[in-house]
Amino acid sequence: MLINKSITEFLAELKSDSAAPGGGSAAALAGAIGAALGIMVGNLTVSSAKYEAAHEESRKLISDLEKCLAALEKYIDEDTEAFNNVINAYKLPKSTEEEKLRRSDAIQEALKGASNLPLKVAKVCLEVLELSGKMLSIGNTNAASDAAVAGRMAQAAMWSAIYNVRINLGSIKDIDFVAELKGNIENIVVRSEVLMAQLIKTVDEKI
């Protein structure tokens, strides 16, 4: 599993001429790094008596970020699996009309799976962005830069995941499915812009 590899091993696989792991798994990893940084800021906050008033809320934020981290760790491998399903579908036989139909259906289902997975990543990264902003607002000011980086990483990961959704949509024939995912993407982007504007304002006031 990719999640169990060292950083060096993961990067070696990422830079290889294999199509997977690729941008989707990298997006999930970037989001996970953001979540972990947010948790670190929370831990630095609850371990300091100076921020006792923020301990309870920080613990709640830590708990929520831990859930995001666990999901993103899982998605690192699941994104690669989803992409491999697409590759395998394209490799199905197509000698007869029946085989062609079966192959076409398999490709469409695999493409939907390969679109849904990065959409999940984008949604979780949006949550990490929001939680990081909250952590920045109440957390240990000595780690304000770390909370800001957590939010920035989450936003970058979110956009990276969105690109991996969008690249598949042009090949999917289900118009309703495509419209639904495009709507989801639009909502995520709009919300992220509001959250990032607030994060930038907050960090500029702190550092």
Side-chain angles (χ1 to χ4, degrees):
M1 294 180 67
L2 294 170
I3 190 62
N4 294 328
K5 292 184 180 295
S6 70
I7 294 173
T8 302
E9 290 170 337
F10 184 90
L11 293 176
E13 288 212 28
L14 203 59
K15 73 178 185 179
S16 73
D17 60 1
S18 172
S25 292
L29 176 59
I33 292 172
L37 269 175
I39 293 166
M40 182 195 80
V41 177
N43 287 329
L44 289 172
T45 303
V46 299
S47 64
S48 173
K50 179 180 177 181
Y51 298 95
E52 185 176 359
H55 284 184
E56 183 177 352
E57 186 175 355
S58 294
R59 289 190 182 97
K60 176 64 168 61
L61 292 174
I62 289 170
S63 176
D64 291 341
L65 282 165
E66 288 281 11
K67 293 174 185 175
C68 292
L69 177 58
L72 290 165
E73 286 177 337
K74 181 178 67 169
Y75 293 154
I76 290 171
D77 279 285
E78 288 188 1
D79 185 88
T80 294
E81 291 169 10
F83 182 80
N84 285 334
N85 287 340
V86 175
I87 297 299
N88 291 334
Y90 274 104
K91 291 179 179 178
L92 290 173
K94 50 181 178 178
S95 300
T96 66
E97 287 303 315
E98 183 179 353
E99 286 179 346
K100 289 177 182 178
L101 286 173
R102 190 180 300 117
R103 176 177 177 272
S104 178
D105 288 344
I107 290 171
Q108 289 299 306
E109 286 304 307
L111 286 170
K112 286 182 178 181
S115 302
N116 276 326
L117 198 287
L119 182 63
K120 291 179 182 179
V121 172
K123 288 179 178 178
V124 176
C125 289
L126 179 66
E127 186 176 0
V128 173
L129 171 56
E130 181 172 8
L131 295 169
S132 298
K134 291 179 179 179
M135 192 70 81
L136 173 62
S137 295
I138 68 166
N140 191 320
T141 55
N142 292 323
S145 60
D146 298 295
V149 171
R152 286 288 191 178
M153 289 289 291
Q155 189 198 38
M158 180 205 81
W159 270 109
S160 302
I162 286 173
Y163 293 145
N164 277 270
V165 178
R166 284 167 50 182
I167 196 169
N168 291 312
L169 296 184
S171 301
I172 296 175
K173 299 175 183 178
D174 187 334
I175 296 174
D176 292 336
F177 178 87
V178 171
E180 180 182 355
L181 264 64
K182 284 184 176 180
N184 283 327
I185 289 172
E186 183 177 352
N187 291 336
I188 290 169
V189 170
V190 170
R191 178 61 178 156
S192 74
E193 289 174 350
V194 173
L195 293 171
M196 182 52 68
Q198 182 58 56
L199 184 142
I200 291 170
K201 181 177 182 293
T202 304
V203 75
D204 285 347
E205 291 170 351
K206 289 181 177 289
I207 63 174

